Amino acid sequence: MLPTLADIRASIAQLEDRHRRNGVVLSGRILHVCHSLPVTCTLDVDKDTSSSSSKWKLGPRYGHAAMISGIRSLSATHEQIIVGWTGDIESTEGEKKEVGELTEEHKSELNEILFKGGKEDDVHEAHDEDHHHTGYVAVWMPSPVAHGYYDGYCKQILWPLFHYLLWQDVATEYASADSHYPHYEAANSAFARRIAEIYQPGDLIWVHDYHLLLLPNLIRELLPDAVVGLFVHTPFPSSEVFRCLPRRKEILDGMLGANLICFQNYSYTRHFVSTCIRVCGYESHLNGRGIENPSSSHVTAVSYCPVGIDAERVARDVLRPGIKPKFDALKTLYQGKKIIVGRDKLDVVKGVLQKLRAFEKMLQMYPEWVGRVVMIQVTSPSLADSPKLERQVSELVAHINGTYGSLDFIPCHHYHQTLKKDEFYALLSVADLAVITPLRDGMNTTSMEFVIAQERTKRSPSVLSELMGVMGILGPKGALWVNPWDLHTVASAMHRALLMPEAEKAIRHTYLHDVVTTRTSHMWANVLTEMLLQQMSPSVHGKNDANATGVPGKKGIPYLDIARLRKWYDAASTLAPSPSISSQLIRPRAKPTRLFFFDYDGTLAPIVKVPSAAVPSEQALNALNNLCKDERNLVYIISGRDADFLDQHLGSVGTADGGRGLGFSAEHGGFVKEPRNGTDASPSPWRNFTSKLDMSWMSEVYEVFRYYTERTTGSHIEVKKSSITWHYRGADPEWGQFQCRQCQDLLENNVAHKRPIEVLVGKKNLEVRPIAVNKGEIVKRLVYKHPEVEFIFCAGDDKTDEDMFRALRHNNGGKIEFIMEAPLSVTLVDDGDEEEQASQNSHHNTSSDPKYAPMKIHLAPEAVFTVAVGHSSKRTLASWHVTSPAEVVGAVEGLLGMTNFEEAFSQREE
């Protein structure tokens, strides 16, 4: 059973109450950003006075009734602000006023009237007195920008594309896909600036439809803390259609600035996610319900929530007194005949031509209907009116009437006009069948209004296109669903509907009526509000917050607190007690007292398609060099890379002036290279941690990987000394992931259980390695060998780095002082190594047995900083997060005082 509107509102109230208790700022306002305001603005200038006093008149702007009614329903619980373009300013003289012709006084007067909600002109429907205020905020744009963006890019490029047509398919002359893009960009920027002017902390922002797809990211740039939702009312095409758009990346990146993107149904959601993955190569998260933009490391949740209609308002409208006379007139005019009704915009995507051909096909297939059925097709003018299409419709109607009509019978009646409300509902009420078969449509409200109009009359059936978004709401049990291109099937469905028994009509109508009156526009608006609130967590908003998240119901990983990091870093540098840290944490110490562990790919350098291209940046090298200058810092790169790569690109870091340089762990712990021992020491040798392990399994795994490489174009095998990895980043994303799962299943069920190995799924790769050799064991080894440590910083980005986080998380069990047993990476590798044992015996141990003695370690849990690179919604054992490799470098620079952390972050972003 579906929740009621009252249930959803109660859930919203509970969410808001929980957020406020947890410190989330909520203003109680919702900003709805639409292409245009739901009112028209007319300027009445009094020429008889010297003061040129003016008076603005507001009138209703028709269209988008479902969306506006849903927005207004939220005034029961929230203050509403609708932000939109004013539309063309009309004057009482019948002329359009350019924005540049209006004085600042004119604009100020209109802004004041709009923010009051236009109550003086009775534009609003009556609300209860206890409802919250609904006001309007105007976006002012020069006419060339406004019309270039709307009439140009929106209607000539995006509207056809989202309905599976390309711009040249609908253009009457040569069309450039980019000619109006500057206007689209300028208009979206104007909206962003206007929102920034009126925004208050805690506002929820909902951006509506394809006119404003760049806006979410523009808002994110101006208001990083804002919670932004984007609802796309149109269909979203498949990736192969969207791929044709020249500005595809800009559009997708603009959309991904939102916290949440919603579509009309699941198919559109699936198309969007697939487009981000296949066209732009972005990563999906949350089991396909989220997309990460690698340039910002922001994860956007993706979902769907279909729009309904305001069922109560429509039910009232069908009872208007002016409807019955028109209903009776139509019934008398077509007495003895079945009436088929269709109402569509005269737009190529509405399928009017195909519908008329299907009607002709029915008369041809079932000649008994000639003289017994009429079709009334109303086409309302659209912005993209095509004289060619209008001519084709008129010619087809004349052809049908000429072929099947007579002096006393006209089978097809076409009216190209906008119907008044009484005429529209009279037509829907009198119909024996509604045929609504667009070639592609988002949420067609006429199909739902027809159900309510029929409640008190005939309960007639409807034939609907399966290519409409409304199919997800109305379901298969109510209407007769057809492929609008299949004329034979549509004709047969019309015939079947006209002969449908009354009992079947009643069953189908009851089902549809229950759906339409339950899934209303009010329900839609409240569910959107609930979904957007679920994207928030305690102390959300901004990169310095402790709990930013993008997962509904999940507390996010805290963003790295640079002040706290610096405090514990400084505390580990002094021999005397620090006033900022409890004296019990300070004791005389030997060097080094700080350990740094960095993964490489995705942590110090961005992930790239070609692994050899992931070279460290100058900023990263500089930061590591400066980190190594302090002898109290011991810095290790713990990577999946091989030893040659690490030596080539990082081997000389920190070795100038006799510095000890970096320590390395290659191939996920398979090989280790210690830092230099003295100022004049030569580089330490690489030690093979797998030399005492059985590595015969590698040939068997290689054959499995070779099998899948042959069958997965774009994949390749990387063989290292201690592990073997299958990469599929260059393969088709979905096929590569499918093959990865198959390969993983084969290895785990047929190889891994017989061998001392483990199978790891990474970012676009599958790795097999010895079970006793991993990054976590290396971290344990280093902590064990440096028991004087009092500060640890560990950063990584993928699943293999979770071993490090796990090792550090479970080491001390939350205690400041604890005993650490020798890990496998010590007992296995150092067995028989006299030099290593002698070195270890020089440290503090708690046993008379000199071999692998337990070590006493004095390390505060708060001084261990495990940092995951990625979004706060990431599933990880780390205690902190940053969003990109650039921020890891920025954190190190900020820690060393090389630059302000916020400045370092902004520079990396640029």
Side-chain angles (χ1 to χ4, degrees), residues 41 57 165 716 792 833:
C41 305
K57 294 182 180 178
L165 296 170
H716 68 277
I792 297 177
D833 190 326

Side-chain angles (χ1 to χ4, degrees), residues 297-461:
S297 294
H298 170 74
V299 175
T300 299
V302 184
S303 190
Y304 68 98
C305 180
V307 180
I309 59 172
D310 187 347
E312 293 182 1
R313 179 186 61 80
V314 174
R316 291 195 304 269
D317 286 345
V318 297
L319 299 177
R320 290 159 61 103
I323 293 176
K324 191 175 187 309
K326 293 178 173 56
F327 174 89
D328 293 337
L330 288 169
K331 194 172 180 180
T332 301
L333 182 62
Y334 299 109
Q335 188 173 8
K337 298 179 178 64
K338 296 283 188 179
I339 301 173
I340 301 176
V341 167
R343 191 200 74 157
D344 309 271
K345 285 185 178 180
L346 190 62
D347 192 311
V348 65
V349 302
K350 297 301 182 180
V352 176
L353 279 175
Q354 288 75 10
K355 183 197 302 186
L356 294 173
R357 289 180 183 132
F359 177 66
E360 180 186 15
K361 188 73 172 177
M362 187 191 76
L363 296 179
Q364 178 186 343
M365 292 169 58
Y366 307 101
E368 63 270 26
W369 286 113
V370 176
R372 297 175 51 211
V373 65
V374 295
M375 167 167 272
I376 302 175
Q377 175 64 51
V378 179
T379 55
S380 55
S382 73
L383 185 67
D385 256 4
S386 167
K388 178 182 177 182
L389 179 60
E390 187 175 357
R391 186 181 69 252
Q392 288 176 323
V393 170
S394 298
E395 289 174 354
L396 182 54
V397 169
H399 167 73
I400 293 171
N401 290 335
T403 304
Y404 299 98
S406 61
L407 290 175
D408 59 348
F409 172 66
I410 300 175
C412 190
H413 302 260
H414 173 229
Y415 303 96
H416 184 52
Q417 63 186 71
T418 300
L419 292 179
K420 296 179 180 178
K421 187 174 287 189
D422 288 353
E423 295 173 325
F424 173 61
Y425 285 121
L427 189 62
L428 294 186
S429 300
V430 80
D432 295 285
L433 171 65
V435 180
I436 305 168
T437 53
L439 306 180
R440 192 71 59 170
D441 209 352
M443 191 58 57
N444 188 294
T445 57
T446 302
S447 57
M448 292 182 274
E449 291 169 323
F450 174 76
V451 173
I452 294 179
Q454 286 286 320
E455 174 67 10
R456 295 176 177 271
T457 55
K458 304 178 181 180
R459 301 195 168 194
S460 300

Side-chain angles (χ1 to χ4, degrees), residues 752-896:
H753 73 285
K754 300 183 296 184
R755 300 280 197 162
I757 59 175
E758 59 183 342
V759 182
L760 300 174
V761 180
K763 290 185 176 180
K764 303 290 186 181
N765 65 65
L766 191 64
E767 181 182 19
V768 181
R769 70 185 186 190
I771 200 166
V773 176
N774 58 62
K775 292 183 176 183
E777 283 297 319
I778 298 301
V779 165
K780 290 179 185 177
R781 173 187 174 86
L782 294 171
V783 173
Y784 178 82
K785 287 185 170 293
H786 298 88
E788 68 281 352
V789 64
E790 293 193 357
F791 172 88
I792 297 177
F793 181 90
C794 177
D797 72 304
D798 65 15
K799 292 184 180 179
T800 63
D801 300 315
E802 294 299 312
D803 293 329
M804 295 195 292
F805 302 151
R806 186 179 294 106
L808 292 171
R809 185 173 184 174
H810 295 158
N811 245 344
N812 60 7
K815 300 176 181 178
I816 293 177
E817 188 170 280
F818 60 96
I819 303 300
M820 182 178 183
E821 299 290 339
L824 284 175
S825 52
V826 171
T827 58
L828 181 64
V829 177
D830 294 349
D831 189 18
D833 190 326
E834 296 180 0
E835 183 180 345
E836 284 291 335
Q837 290 181 34
S839 173
Q840 193 60 37
N841 290 339
S842 67
H843 291 113
H844 307 291
N845 64 65
T846 63
S847 172
S848 59
D849 182 2
K851 189 176 183 180
Y852 313 133
M855 304 304 297
K856 181 184 291 187
I857 297 178
H858 203 86
L859 177 65
E862 297 84 359
V864 178
F865 290 81
T866 51
V867 182
V869 182
H871 193 259
S872 62
S873 62
K874 192 173 190 173
R875 296 184 62 180
T876 179
L877 294 173
S879 300
W880 304 90
H881 94 285
V882 294
T883 59
S884 68
E887 292 177 36
V888 175
V889 177
V892 174
E893 291 176 335
L895 187 63
L896 299 176

Side-chain angles (χ1 to χ4, degrees), residues 541-789:
H541 308 43
K543 300 187 177 300
N544 292 322
D545 278 321
N547 291 300
T549 185
V551 181
K554 179 181 182 295
K555 186 175 180 179
I557 314 163
Y559 191 85
L560 179 61
D561 187 334
I562 194 68
R564 184 182 299 186
L565 180 71
R566 183 66 180 268
K567 181 175 74 171
W568 285 96
Y569 176 86
D570 291 340
S573 68
T574 59
L575 295 176
S578 167
S580 61
I581 305 294
S582 173
S583 60
Q584 65 173 323
L585 304 185
I586 300 300
R587 60 177 177 79
R589 65 199 68 164
K591 299 177 182 179
T593 57
R594 310 185 192 107
L595 296 181
F596 289 84
F597 307 131
F598 296 99
D599 173 43
Y600 183 73
D601 291 287
T603 302
L604 290 176
I607 297 287
V608 294
K609 285 192 174 183
V610 181
S612 60
V615 298
S617 66
E618 183 179 342
Q619 290 86 354
L621 293 174
N622 190 36
L624 291 173
N625 263 309
N626 281 277
L627 196 61
C628 291
K629 286 180 180 179
D630 191 330
E631 286 294 317
R632 290 161 294 193
N633 298 338
L634 186 64
V635 186
Y636 267 79
I637 307 300
I638 303 179
S639 172
R641 293 283 188 164
D642 60 31
D644 292 339
F645 180 92
L646 296 177
D647 272 338
Q648 177 186 353
H649 295 288
L650 297 166
S652 62
V653 172
T655 61
D657 301 322
R660 69 157 61 101
L662 299 172
F664 297 103
S665 170
E667 301 189 24
H668 298 298
F671 295 83
V672 170
K673 182 179 181 180
E674 304 285 347
R676 302 185 183 193
N677 291 324
T679 57
D680 57 350
S682 59
S684 303
W686 283 96
R687 301 184 64 195
N688 186 351
F689 277 27
T690 65
S691 59
K692 298 179 183 179
L693 300 178
D694 176 13
M695 303 296 290
S696 61
W697 53 267
M698 290 190 72
S699 59
E700 188 176 355
V701 172
Y702 181 85
E703 288 303 314
V704 174
F705 281 169
R706 187 173 64 83
Y707 174 87
Y708 281 94
T709 302
E710 292 172 352
R711 288 157 178 79
T712 312
T713 303
S715 66
H716 68 277
I717 304 171
E718 181 184 11
V719 179
K720 302 175 183 177
K721 294 177 182 178
S722 65
S723 65
I724 181 169
T725 306
W726 182 65
H727 296 273
Y728 62 92
R729 185 170 293 277
D732 177 272
E734 294 178 6
W735 176 244
Q737 188 176 47
F738 172 78
Q739 290 290 76
C740 177
R741 289 171 181 164
Q742 296 292 309
C743 185
Q744 179 188 5
D745 183 65
L746 176 63
L747 289 170
E748 289 177 342
N749 292 317
N750 294 281
V751 181
H753 73 285
K754 300 183 296 184
R755 300 280 197 162
I757 59 175
E758 59 183 342
V759 182
L760 300 174
V761 180
K763 290 185 176 180
K764 303 290 186 181
N765 65 65
L766 191 64
E767 181 182 19
V768 181
R769 70 185 186 190
I771 200 166
V773 176
N774 58 62
K775 292 183 176 183
E777 283 297 319
I778 298 301
V779 165
K780 290 179 185 177
R781 173 187 174 86
L782 294 171
V783 173
Y784 178 82
K785 287 185 170 293
H786 298 88
E788 68 281 352
V789 64

Side-chain angles (χ1 to χ4, degrees), residues 451 455 459 471-479 481 504-519:
V451 173
E455 174 67 10
R459 301 195 168 194
M471 185 178 184
I473 293 184
L474 300 185
K477 298 180 182 178
W481 298 96
E504 183 180 353
K505 286 184 184 179
I507 292 172
R508 288 178 176 272
H509 175 82
T510 300
Y511 172 82
L512 290 176
H513 191 267
D514 288 345
V515 172
V516 170
T517 54
T518 302
R519 293 184 178 274

